[in-house]
Amino acid sequence: MTNNIDLAFKKGKIENRPLLITYSVCGDPNKKKSLEILKSISEHIDIAELGCPFNCPQADGPDIQNSTYRAIKNGINMQQTFELVKNYKRYKNSKPLILMGYYQIIFHYGEKKFVKKCKEVGVDGLIVVDLPWPDNKNFAKLCKKNSICFVQLIAPTTTKERMKLIIKDSHQMIYQISMISTTGRKLKVSAKEIIRNYKIIKRINPKKNVVIGFGITKKTISSLKECNGLVIGSAICRAISTSLKSRQNPVKKLNKMVKELKTQIS
C-alpha cells in the first residue's frame, strides 16, 4: 500500500532528515483558526496530525486536554472534524493528514462508515490510542483496504517478542512512544535511550518508518533527529493556550514556532 504518507517519508530520506509531524486538536481555539493554523504551518511540516476532540483522553497530558476542552466547548464533533479535513485537503499546499482519536468515537460512528468517511474527505492515516495490537488487527485491515495507513504504537514496555508481531502487522508508519507517561511531560529518559529503542525497532524491519512522540520540545528535538520522524503536539497546544492568554494571534505564533523547529532538524 502506497499513499501520501509513504511519499512524505521518501522525500525525507532523499533530503536526509526526519519528518516534522505536528499535532493539534480540531477546533482549537475555534474551527476557523484551527484550519488557519493547519494551512499556515503546512509550509514547514511534512505530516499533520489532527486530534478528534474526546472527553476522556487517557493518553493526553494537561496541554492537549486544555485544547480538547476548548474544542468540545466550541461544539466540535466528528462531522465538523471531517469538514475541516476536507477543507484542509483542498488547500494546494496541504500535507498528508493523520487523524488521532479514541476507539469509542469510531465505535459510536461505526467502523466501516468511519473509514469510508475518512477516505472520502482525504484522511491518509489513523492513530487509535486505545485500540492496541492484536485487538486492532481487523480494523487495521479495513484501513488498508481503503488505502489508509493504520499507525501501530510501540511503548518502552513492549517486549521484543510482541514488538516483532506488531511490526509484522504494521503498515508503513510506526509510532514509538518515547517514555511511560502521558503526552507533554518532560522527558524522563535520555535521548540515547530513546534512540537505542528506536534502533531495536529498525533492526527488526529497516523498511518501516518509525516516528517518535511524547515529550518532544524545542529543547529535545535536535537530539532525536536520527529517527524517521518526530511528533510535536503538546508544545503546539501550549502555544495556542499562551497566545489566547496574551491575546496574540496563534496562527502567526505557531508559524514562527514550527519554522524554527524545522530548522533544528534540517
Side-chain angles (χ1 to χ4, degrees), residues 154-160 162-163 180:
I154 292 180
T157 51
T158 306
T159 63
K160 197 166 183 180
R162 178 176 168 81
M163 200 182 286
I180 303 167

Side-chain angles (χ1 to χ4, degrees), residues 179-197:
M179 59 181 174
I180 303 167
S181 176
T182 53
T183 59
R185 300 298 183 183
K186 186 178 179 180
L187 280 179
K188 299 175 183 177
V189 294
S190 67
K192 283 185 179 179
E193 187 176 338
I194 295 168
I195 292 298
R196 192 184 305 125
N197 291 336

Side-chain angles (χ1 to χ4, degrees), residues 75-241:
I76 301 298
N77 54 29
M78 274 316 304
Q79 186 57 41
Q80 290 178 317
T81 301
F82 283 133
E83 284 174 13
L84 189 142
V85 173
K86 191 174 182 178
N87 287 333
Y88 172 67
K89 295 297 278 189
R90 285 173 178 162
Y91 176 55
K92 63 177 181 178
N93 295 322
S94 68
K95 296 296 168 68
L97 187 138
I98 296 172
L99 268 188
M100 178 272 182
Y102 292 84
Y103 184 67
Q104 189 174 327
I105 298 169
I106 298 166
F107 180 79
H108 179 74
Y109 202 93
E111 285 189 358
K112 289 182 180 179
K113 186 181 173 185
F114 186 89
V115 173
K116 184 182 177 182
K117 190 67 178 178
C118 284
K119 185 177 181 180
E120 181 187 310
V121 299
V123 171
D124 299 287
L126 282 171
I127 296 174
V128 187
V129 181
D130 55 349
L131 188 63
W133 186 93
D135 298 332
N136 60 36
K137 288 177 82 170
N138 289 334
F139 185 71
K141 286 177 184 176
L142 178 63
C143 290
K144 194 169 186 176
K145 284 179 184 177
N146 288 274
S147 300
I148 293 170
C149 173
F150 182 85
V151 182
Q152 298 281 3
L153 304 175
I154 292 180
T157 51
T158 306
T159 63
K160 197 166 183 180
E161 292 71 25
R162 178 176 168 81
M163 200 182 286
K164 286 176 182 177
L165 295 169
I166 292 171
I167 293 167
K168 184 182 176 182
D169 279 350
S170 68
H171 296 174
Q172 62 266 54
M173 174 177 158
I174 295 168
Y175 192 120
Q176 176 192 342
I177 298 169
S178 67
M179 59 181 174
I180 303 167
S181 176
T182 53
T183 59
R185 300 298 183 183
K186 186 178 179 180
L187 280 179
K188 299 175 183 177
V189 294
S190 67
K192 283 185 179 179
E193 187 176 338
I194 295 168
I195 292 298
R196 192 184 305 125
N197 291 336
Y198 165 80
K199 287 179 177 177
I200 291 170
I201 300 169
K202 291 296 283 187
R203 277 197 292 271
I204 294 170
N205 190 335
K207 292 182 180 179
K208 298 292 183 180
N209 299 298
V210 182
V211 307
I212 299 172
F214 282 50
I216 311 301
T217 64
K218 189 178 178 180
K219 291 181 180 179
T220 59
I221 196 167
S222 59
S223 62
L224 298 166
K225 61 182 180 181
E226 191 177 333
C227 66
N228 298 130
L230 289 157
V231 184
I232 187 154
S234 293
I236 298 285
C237 296
R238 195 180 310 125
I240 294 173
S241 294

